[in-house]
Amino acid sequence: MRRLIGPIFFTLVFLGAVVGVLCFSTEAREVAGEAFWNIFRFFTTPFILELSVAVMGLLIVMTYNQWKRSKDAPEWVEMEVPAKDKTDQDSLPPNAG
């Protein structure tokens, strides 16, 4: 949790600066509005929308799976196979094993 404090702090400072500029500048509001609508129009085109929804769904499923696996115990299983003695091999019929 401690290593997230720095990025969260800088993100909040950045967002505060953006909101401050948008509140005090009409040109910044106009540019931000145009940029938002251009990006919105691009991402809602049929092929891009379907592709982006599929990629986001895949990322959500993979993130959930990684979180669940890190929460659970490891699934590593060791299997001990007993070594066969030479006398056991000699007693087997010739066609077996």
Side-chain angles (χ1 to χ4, degrees), residues 15-70:
L15 289 176
V18 169
V19 168
V21 168
L22 289 176
C23 286
F24 293 114
S25 175
T26 57
E27 288 109 12
R29 281 193 298 267
E30 185 178 333
V31 169
E34 281 294 317
F36 171 77
W37 285 115
N38 285 335
I39 292 171
F40 179 76
R41 280 187 221 128
F42 174 74
F43 280 109
T44 54
T45 57
F47 179 74
I48 301 296
L49 179 64
E50 294 162 358
L51 183 66
S52 61
V53 167
V55 169
M56 288 301 292
L58 182 65
L59 286 174
I60 289 170
V61 168
M62 290 176 67
T63 303
Y64 174 74
N65 185 30
Q66 187 67 27
W67 172 76
K68 187 158 175 56
R69 289 186 71 195
S70 68

Side-chain angles (χ1 to χ4, degrees), residues 76-95:
W76 183 263
V77 177
E78 290 187 24
M79 184 173 157
E80 291 185 26
V81 179
K84 293 186 178 185
D85 293 336
K86 181 80 172 150
T87 57
D88 291 341
Q89 290 178 354
D90 291 339
S91 65
L92 292 176
N95 292 339

